[in-house]
Amino acid sequence: MKISARNVIDGTVKEIKKGATTAHVLIDVNGTTITAAITNESVDELGLKAGAKVKAVIKSSDVMVAVI
């Protein structure tokens, strides 16, 4: 697979929380959790389950910073 995104991080699926149409996939990356929001259909097509080895692919045009 070739992809233009440069941020590809190896991880393990911790948990999948399905909603009406969108699922939140929690991915453990060396003790840090990354959450991906994807469709329920994509979860099923990819065969995602807790414990699965995955790659988190991050591509973003914006990074926002907030100060509290």
Side-chain angles (χ1 to χ4, degrees), residues 8-54:
V8 181
I9 303 167
D10 293 322
T12 304
V13 176
K14 284 175 53 172
E15 183 179 356
I16 299 169
K17 299 177 181 178
K18 283 190 173 181
T21 59
T22 303
H24 289 98
V25 181
L26 283 66
I27 302 168
D28 176 68
V29 177
N30 298 322
T32 299
T33 301
I34 295 175
T35 303
I38 63 175
T39 64
N40 290 334
E41 183 178 350
S42 291
V43 169
D44 296 339
E45 286 179 6
L46 292 169
L48 294 179
K49 307 261 186 251
K53 299 293 183 191
V54 296

